[in-house]
């Protein structure tokens, strides 16, 4: 199912006013019929927007922002003597990506440049803490690249492009750094439920976490939460440190499996200023004992959590997942290879959020939202993410 959406009221107060002379919809008119300032065939003063929709000698003009319900003008219409609506003008800069010069907007990050103008290999730069619908977190450092003149490797997700910048993405130094980051994470964190991309990157970079020795025994329930920040026991040298611990299940909607947490901070930001502004969770502890926690380490029902599940939507390793997914995985009834995804519109209210229904063997197992959707930007509320049981007449959990 697909949908189209119009634009809301224009201006702080909405509504409109009659255009003045030389204006279309209150904005200065750009005349495409002459390059020397000679008046063209556009509407005159007082003719209003209606004049834009009638056919004249130059052909139909098409709609403007005053008619959000209509379709946009085609290329021929835009160049046929009508108004030309311009967006913000952005200066471009020249950047060298592994010897190939490209031009990108001046506020673009190196990762933006790799995604937009890079080769398929360059666009496949590994990322863990980055998401297209969130501000850069700068935590995982797996997307680092070399920049000419920079002493250290720089995170491509946050470093802005500069004119004349020379970027190298596949040097021995870059590959060694990425391999070490992935290897150290995999040595202490269970990465078996991370995305297929993460698994592929670990193979491509030759990650071998087993060379650090066997893992230490898992911590008891709540043990990592009670540790004194900054006080670390001396390692015995026989095992590698891990964050292994029991799964936290204290509500009916989702679980927290922090043995899979890489401290990417995406869940914290999604709960905070990037999406929900609930601030139910934050980072606690220091060093290897750093962890994601609620205020005063209370259980989730006692926190400020509103169960929107946006933290689940951005988690890259499966540390946060729905109870439905957790139960199916535990029962051996999880079939990602058979999963289909269908896009539809949420019916709970009139906002118009896009939903992606993840279906396995005829049952909805998860609901997400596309990161590039103009309404949700990948985020949902509790109803959109978890309120799908009525679709299949399933009993309440």
């Amino acid at each position: 199912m697909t949908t189209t959406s119009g634009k809301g009221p224009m201006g702080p107060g909405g509504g409109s006013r009659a255009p003045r002379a030389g204006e279309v919809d209150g904005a200065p008119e750009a005349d495409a019929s002459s390059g020397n300032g000679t008046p063209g065939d556009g509407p005159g003063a007082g003719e209003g927007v209606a004049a834009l929709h009638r056919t004249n000698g130059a052909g139909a003009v098409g709609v403007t922002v005053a008619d959000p319900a209509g379709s946009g003008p085609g290329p021929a219409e835009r160049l046929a003597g009508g108004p030309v609506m311009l967006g913000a003008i952005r200066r471009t800069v020249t950047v060298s990506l592994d010897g190939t010069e490209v031009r990108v907007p001046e506020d673009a990050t190196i990762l933006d440049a790799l995604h937009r103008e890079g080769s398929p290999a360059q666009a496949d730069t590994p990322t863990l803490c980055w998401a297209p619908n969130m501000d850069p977190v700068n935590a995982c450092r797996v997307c680092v690249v070399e920049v000419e003149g920079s002493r250290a490797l720089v995170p491509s997700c946050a470093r802005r492009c500069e004119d004349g910048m020379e970027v190298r993405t596949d040097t021995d130094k870059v590959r060694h750094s990425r391999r070490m980051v992935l290897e150290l994470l995999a040595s202490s964190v269970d990465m078996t439920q991370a995305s297929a991309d993460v698994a592929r990157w670990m193979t491509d970079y030759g990650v071998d976490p087993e060379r650090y020795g066997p893992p230490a025994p898992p911590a008891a329930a709540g043990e990592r939460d009670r540790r004194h920040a900054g006080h670390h026991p001396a390692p015995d040298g026989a095992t590698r440190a891990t964050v292994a611990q029991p799964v936290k299940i204290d509500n009916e909607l989702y679980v927290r499996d922090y043995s899979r947490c890489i401290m990417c901070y995406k869940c914290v930001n999604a709960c905070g200023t990037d999406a929900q502004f609930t601030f139910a969770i934050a980072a606690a502890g220091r060093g290897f004992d750093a962890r994601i926690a609620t205020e005063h380490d209370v259980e989730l029902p006692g926190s400020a959590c509103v169960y929107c599940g946006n933290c689940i939507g951005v988690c890259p390793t499966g540390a946060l997942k729905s109870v439905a997914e957790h139960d199916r995985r535990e029962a051996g009834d999880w079939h990602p290879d058979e999963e289909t995804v269908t896009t539809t519109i949420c019916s709970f209210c009139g906002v118009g959020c896009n939903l992606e229904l993840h279906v396995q063997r005829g049952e909805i197992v998860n609901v997400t939202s596309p990161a590039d959707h103009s309404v949700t930007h990948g985020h949902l509320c509790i109803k959109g993410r978890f309120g799908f049981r009525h679709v299949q007449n399933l009993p309440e959990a």
Side-chain angles (χ1 to χ4, degrees):
M1 300 172 62
T2 58
T3 184
T4 57
S5 58
K7 300 176 183 178
M10 299 168 53
S16 61
R17 61 174 173 80
R20 290 189 284 266
E23 290 187 347
V24 176
D25 305 336
E29 179 180 353
D31 188 283
S33 64
S34 173
N36 56 8
T38 303
D41 296 326
E47 291 187 70
V49 177
L52 297 178
H53 300 280
R54 69 168 179 258
T55 303
N56 53 28
V61 173
V63 298
T64 68
V65 292
D67 184 10
S71 58
E77 295 172 326
R78 289 196 297 267
L79 299 177
V84 179
M85 298 301 177
L86 299 177
I89 298 176
R90 303 168 69 188
R91 189 171 72 92
T92 60
V93 296
T94 301
V95 179
S96 173
L97 303 179
D98 294 323
T100 301
E101 287 193 352
V102 300
R103 294 191 67 82
V104 296
E106 62 179 345
D107 61 343
T109 64
I110 296 175
L111 189 61
D112 290 336
L114 296 174
H115 286 167
R116 295 175 183 176
E117 305 293 340
S119 65
Q122 291 169 337
D124 192 38
T125 296
T127 58
L128 288 172
C129 68
W130 174 86
N133 57 340
M134 300 180 69
D135 292 332
V137 182
N138 238 341
C140 73
R141 299 283 168 158
V142 77
C143 70
V144 291
V145 295
E146 276 195 81
V147 172
E148 184 68 27
S150 178
R151 177 184 60 83
L153 297 175
V154 303
S156 62
C157 67
R159 180 67 178 269
R160 301 288 178 181
C161 291
E162 301 171 6
D163 198 37
M165 177 181 281
E166 296 184 15
V167 179
R168 292 184 288 274
T169 66
D170 198 41
T171 64
D172 289 342
K173 185 176 182 181
V174 168
R175 292 190 64 86
H176 179 74
S177 177
R178 291 177 180 175
R179 181 175 65 252
M180 288 301 299
V181 169
L182 290 170
E183 202 166 73
L184 289 172
L185 286 175
S187 72
S188 59
V189 177
D190 185 350
M191 303 283 279
T192 58
Q193 292 184 13
S195 68
D197 284 336
V198 175
R200 176 171 51 80
W201 292 327
M202 292 175 66
T203 300
D204 291 346
Y205 285 93
V207 172
D208 181 22
E210 300 304 320
R211 70 187 184 93
Y212 295 99
E223 178 184 342
R224 286 182 55 82
D225 299 332
R226 294 189 296 267
R227 288 180 182 174
H228 194 289
H231 291 250
H232 306 292
D236 58 13
T239 59
R240 66 176 189 260
T242 73
V243 296
Q245 57 190 293
V247 178
K248 294 185 177 182
I249 305 177
D250 52 15
N251 66 89
E252 299 178 349
L253 296 180
Y254 59 93
V255 303
R256 296 176 288 163
D257 187 356
Y258 288 145
S259 63
R260 305 178 188 277
C261 178
I262 60 172
M263 291 296 294
C264 67
Y265 294 91
K266 289 166 73 174
C267 61
V268 175
N269 288 2
C271 187
T273 55
D274 273 359
Q276 193 62 31
F277 286 84
T278 298
F279 304 99
I281 55 176
R286 293 189 298 176
F288 193 77
D289 288 336
R291 62 196 183 278
I292 303 300
T294 58
E295 187 175 6
H296 302 300
D297 285 327
V298 299
E299 292 188 344
L300 216 57
S303 71
C305 179
V306 295
Y307 300 99
C308 62
N310 290 326
C311 53
I312 299 175
V314 299
C315 181
T317 60
L320 300 169
K321 63 175 70 71
S322 66
V323 168
E325 178 178 341
H326 173 75
D327 291 346
R328 282 179 169 83
R329 286 184 180 274
E330 290 295 302
D333 191 27
W334 186 251
H335 310 280
D337 295 338
E338 303 177 22
E339 185 172 291
T340 60
V341 180
T342 302
T343 302
T344 184
I345 306 296
C346 183
S347 60
F348 279 108
C349 73
V351 171
C353 298
N354 265 22
L355 304 182
E356 294 174 326
L357 306 182
H358 298 250
V359 179
Q360 295 182 11
R361 300 191 174 184
E363 290 189 10
I364 301 173
V365 295
N366 274 322
V367 177
T368 59
S369 186
D372 59 351
H373 187 231
S374 60
V375 175
T376 65
H377 301 287
H379 306 299
L380 294 170
C381 72
I382 181 175
K383 294 180 180 179
R385 193 175 301 275
F386 298 112
F388 59 83
R389 304 182 71 85
H390 70 285
V391 176
Q392 300 164 140
N393 293 321
L394 295 178
E396 290 300 324

